[in-house]
Amino acid sequence: MSRPLHRGGLGGGRLSGNIQDYLEDAQMKIRTEKEDSDKNSKTSSDNVSLSLRNPFQFLYSENTSSKQDSIENGFVVSDQFTPSTLRNRHLLTLLILKFSLILTVILGLTVSLLWTISITNGSKSHTIRGYRRLQEQLVSDLWDIGELSLGATRFKDSEFCSPDFENFVPCFNTTENLELGLTEGKEFDRRCGPMSRQNCLILAPPKYKIPHRWPTGRDVIWIDNVKITAQEVLSSGSLTKRMMMLDEDQISFSFASSMVDDNIEDYSHQIAEMIGLRNESYLVQAGVRTILDIGCGYGSLGAHLFPKQLLTMCIANYESSGSQVEIALERGLPAIVGSFASKQLPVPSLSFDMIHSAWDGVQWDKKDGIYLIEVDRVLRPGGYFVWTSPFANTPTSVRDKENLKRWDFVRNFAKDLCWDLLSQQDKTVVWKKPSKKDCYASRKHGSGPLICKEGHDVESPYYHPLEACIGGTRSRRWIPIEERATWPSRVTLSSKELAVHGVLPDDFAEDDINWKSAVRDYWSLLSPLIFSDHPKRPGDEDPIPPYNMVRNVLDMNAHFGGFNSALLDAKKSVWVMNVVPTSGVNHLPLILDRGFVGVLHDWCEAFPTYPRTYDLVHADGLLSLETVKQSRCSTLDLFYEIDRLLRPEGWVILRDTTPLIESARIITSGLKWEARVIEVESNNDEKLLVCQKPLIRSQANSL
C-alpha cells in the first residue's frame, strides 16, 4: 500500500525546483505595493519591502545601502549587478539549495545505516535481520525517500475486476470449448492464450470471510467463500454432496456421512484390508505416502487420511459452480484443476504411490484404454490403483449388458498393463502395478500397449498429448514402493537416490540446513503484528505466531523441495504445492521421490486453480529465473497471478537480488499490498520482500 510522501524534513525540497516562480510572485507583490505607497518615500519603502518579502535576497545583496539602486524587470537590483550576473546568482542559489537537500539525504542515510549496523551486530538472528519494529520503520523511511525520487514514474494503482471474475480460472472455458464442438472430455481441456490473462485485481465475494484455522477449517467452511448454491448443498443427486450439511452460512463436513455404502472411515479401512493390511494406518508401512485422488468429491478421503501421514492430492475438472477443487482447497486440502482427456498431467512418470478413483465419471473403457495408460504412467512400481464404480463386477452390473461390457474391458486392459488384481469387494476393485519389468516382455505379441520409445518417455511432460504406450520403464527412478524408505525417512534421500537425480549429497545437505534456518525467521516475519500499529511496550518481543496460522502453501520455485521439508521439520501444520518452473532445472522428480506433491508450470500462464486458494505464496529466485529467460510475460503479469491465487490477509515472501526486489516493491504498492523489504544477513546481494494482501470485498449486493 502506498504511503504519503511527507516524512522528515524533505518537504522543503519541493521549493528548490521552483525558485524562479517564487521570485516572480514576489515581483508582482512588490509592484502592486509600490503603486499604492507614498511617492515621497518610494525609495526607502521599496527597499524594506523587498528585504522582507524576498527571503533569498541575502544571497546576492552586498553593500546595497551605500549604492544607488536601479529597477530592472520589475525587481530592485543594486546597480553593480548586471542582468547576466543576476541570472548566475539565481542558478547559484538553485545549485546551493539542491546540494543542501542532497547532503541532508546522504547524511540521513549514512546515520541510519550506521544505526542499523549497530543493531545488527547485537542481534542473535542467524539469517534475517531487520524484522524488529524499529528496523522496519527504518526500511519504511528509506523507502519513502526512494519514492520521492520516483516522482511521476511510480507504479499506478491497479484496477479491480468486475464481479464476474470472483471465481475466474484462466485457460478453462468449458462453454467456449463446447461452442467450438469439443466433446468427449475435451471440453474440459486447458487452453491458455494471450486473452486468458487478467490485468486487474480480483475482488473477494461481498460476504467473504477469512477461513477458519486448521483443523477447524477442514470440517467447516463459509458458504460465501466458494461458488456453490444452497440447492447444490442440499441436493441428494450425488453421494459426495450428501456428506455436506448446510448450517446457516456454513457448510459442515462429517466423516460419518455416507460416501459409498458405509462411511469414509469404513471405506478407507476396506481399501487397506483389500491390500492385505489391518487398517489404513498401515498404508505408510506398506510404502504408500502420496495419493492422487481423481474426482475427489470434496476431499473427504484426503481429509481422513492426512492425520495418518498420507498426502492426498485431488484432481478434478474445472466446474463453474460446486467445484470439487475449490471446496477441497477451501478446506485446506491439496487440489488442482486438471483433466487427462487429451493431455498428460504436468508430472513426470512414477509420481504417486496410490491412485484412487471413485464415482469420477471417467469413461475408462473409451479411446482404447488411453486413460488407464496415463494412470499407469504416473503410478510407481508396486503402487495401487483403487477403483470404485457402479460398473464394477456386481450383480447389478452383470445384469446390465452395457455395464458388463465396460467392466470386461477395464479388467482385461488392466491385465494387459500387467496389473495384478488383488481384490474385489462390492463396487471397489484394487489392482497392484508390477514391481518388476519381467511381465512386459512375457506378454503375448500384440496383447497390450507397447513400451514407450526412449524419446517419448520424458520427465517433463508439460501437457504433452496422451501417449498410447507404457511409460516410465526406462527411468532410473524405477524403484518399487516397498523398497523405498517409508515416511518420514523418505524425506532424506540416500546418496544412491541423489545420484539418480544428479545431485551431490553435500549440496543437498547444505540446502536442507539453509532452509531450516530460514523458516525459523520466516515464521516470525509472518506475524500480523509486523504490519500493524498494535500497542506494545518498548523492548517486548513480538508474540510467537501460532503454528497453524497458514495451511495452504504455494512454493513457486521449489528447487529441491527444501522449503517444504523445513516447514514439516518445524512441525508446521501445512502442506506445500511444490511448483517447478518449466524455464528452470527440473527437480520435480526429486521432490516427488521425497514424498511431497508438486507440478511443472510455466509462470507465463495461469496456474490451474481457483482464486483465493493459498495462504502463503513463496518464491526464491523466481524473478531472476524469469528475467534471465526473457519470458514472453512481464513481472506485472506474474504479480497479478500471485494476487489471484492469494487469499485475503495471506502472505507473500519473495527472495531475490536487490534490484529485482526493489522493482517488485514498486509493483506491490499498486496492488494495494502491505510490504516490507528485509535485508538478508548471509547475502548482501539479496533481499526479502514480505507482503500481506488486504481483504477487499466486492460491493455488489453486499447488503
Side-chain angles (χ1 to χ4, degrees), residues 161 163 166 203-207 695-703:
C161 302
E166 284 178 1
L203 292 167
K207 297 181 180 179
L695 170 56
I696 305 177
R697 298 185 183 90
S698 171
Q699 297 301 312
N701 302 321
S702 58
L703 298 179

Side-chain angles (χ1 to χ4, degrees), residues 40-290:
N40 294 329
S41 57
K42 176 180 178 182
T43 303
S44 59
S45 176
D46 287 346
N47 288 338
V48 173
S49 177
L50 179 60
S51 64
L52 292 176
R53 289 171 172 79
N54 188 354
F56 303 101
Q57 188 184 31
F58 73 93
L59 293 173
Y60 53 80
S61 59
E62 299 178 3
N63 303 319
T64 57
S65 60
S66 61
K67 297 189 179 287
Q68 179 67 30
D69 293 340
S70 63
I71 303 296
E72 183 166 329
N73 294 332
F75 276 91
V76 179
V77 183
S78 299
D79 58 5
Q80 76 267 31
F81 290 106
T82 64
S84 175
T85 304
L86 180 60
R87 284 193 296 270
N88 291 336
R89 289 293 184 175
H90 290 171
L91 292 175
L92 178 60
T93 300
L94 180 61
L95 291 174
I96 290 174
L97 288 175
K98 286 189 174 181
F99 177 79
S100 300
L101 177 61
I102 293 172
L103 181 60
T104 302
V105 173
I106 292 175
L107 288 174
L109 290 172
T110 303
V111 172
S112 299
L113 179 60
L114 292 174
W115 174 57
T116 305
I117 293 174
S118 66
I119 293 177
T120 304
N121 290 336
S123 175
K124 295 182 180 180
S125 175
H126 178 69
T127 304
I128 310 295
R129 74 169 185 266
Y131 59 85
R132 302 296 302 131
R133 187 167 307 281
L134 291 176
Q135 288 183 288
E136 290 170 5
Q137 188 62 51
L138 168 63
V139 171
S140 177
D141 290 341
L142 297 183
W143 173 251
D144 284 344
I145 293 174
E147 283 187 315
L148 283 171
S149 65
L150 291 175
T153 62
R154 286 188 65 240
F155 181 77
K156 295 181 179 179
D157 287 352
S158 299
E159 295 181 355
F160 292 112
C161 302
S162 68
D164 297 338
F165 283 74
E166 284 178 1
N167 291 276
F168 176 60
V169 182
C171 305
F172 293 90
N173 193 327
T174 306
T175 302
E176 183 178 297
N177 290 342
L178 287 171
E179 291 175 353
L180 293 174
L182 300 174
T183 56
E184 298 182 353
K186 291 184 179 180
E187 65 271 23
F188 299 111
D189 273 357
R190 170 183 175 276
R191 290 178 173 81
C192 287
M195 299 305 294
S196 64
R197 193 178 297 142
Q198 96 277 0
N199 294 315
C200 51
L201 302 180
I202 297 178
L203 292 167
K207 297 181 180 179
Y208 181 89
K209 299 181 181 67
I210 301 301
H212 299 291
R213 282 180 177 169
W214 180 271
T216 302
R218 175 193 61 190
D219 304 325
V220 181
I221 66 173
W222 302 107
I223 189 170
D224 293 311
N225 287 12
V226 294
K227 190 175 182 181
I228 187 171
T229 64
Q231 183 61 36
E232 286 177 306
V233 176
L234 299 174
S235 172
S236 60
S238 168
L239 291 174
T240 54
K241 289 178 181 175
R242 270 188 257 169
M243 297 183 65
M244 308 187 324
M245 295 180 292
L246 182 63
D247 181 17
E248 295 183 358
D249 55 353
Q250 297 184 135
I251 301 174
S252 300
F253 298 84
S254 173
F255 293 152
S257 298
S258 175
M259 177 177 178
V260 278
D261 293 332
D262 296 306
N263 61 40
I264 189 67
E265 186 173 359
D266 289 343
Y267 176 68
S268 59
H269 185 82
Q270 174 190 347
I271 293 172
E273 285 186 333
M274 294 173 71
I275 292 174
L277 305 173
R278 182 178 300 177
N279 56 52
E280 62 271 29
S281 298
Y282 289 85
L283 284 169
V284 169
Q285 297 181 19
V288 177
R289 158 63 181 170
T290 55

Side-chain angles (χ1 to χ4, degrees), residues 465-518:
L466 289 174
E467 294 277 1
C469 56
I470 298 175
T473 60
R474 303 176 186 274
S475 174
R476 297 175 63 193
R477 296 173 51 242
W478 182 282
I479 302 174
I481 62 171
E482 55 267 24
E483 295 180 13
R484 291 182 179 272
T486 57
W487 182 264
S489 299
R490 186 187 292 189
V491 173
T492 305
L493 299 180
S494 66
S495 57
K496 182 179 179 181
E497 290 173 313
L498 290 174
V500 170
H501 298 285
V503 176
L504 296 175
D506 290 345
D507 293 341
F508 186 79
E510 181 180 2
D511 181 79
D512 190 55
I513 293 172
N514 290 340
W515 278 115
K516 287 179 180 178
S517 176

Side-chain angles (χ1 to χ4, degrees), residues 390-404 407:
F391 305 137
N393 189 16
T394 63
T396 304
S397 65
V398 170
R399 289 193 297 268
D400 188 315
K401 292 184 178 180
E402 187 63 28
N403 288 348
L404 180 60
W407 161 246

Side-chain angles (χ1 to χ4, degrees), residues 27-43 45-46 49 74:
Q27 171 188 347
M28 295 301 297
K29 292 179 181 179
I30 294 168
R31 181 184 299 146
T32 302
E33 292 180 5
K34 286 196 305 180
E35 292 174 354
D36 296 337
S37 66
D38 185 6
K39 296 182 180 180
N40 294 329
S41 57
K42 176 180 178 182
T43 303
S45 176
D46 287 346
S49 177

Side-chain angles (χ1 to χ4, degrees), residues 653-667:
I653 300 179
L654 301 180
R655 177 169 176 164
D656 225 300
T657 62
T658 298
L660 290 174
I661 288 296
E662 290 174 349
S663 298
R665 173 62 179 85
I666 298 172
I667 293 177

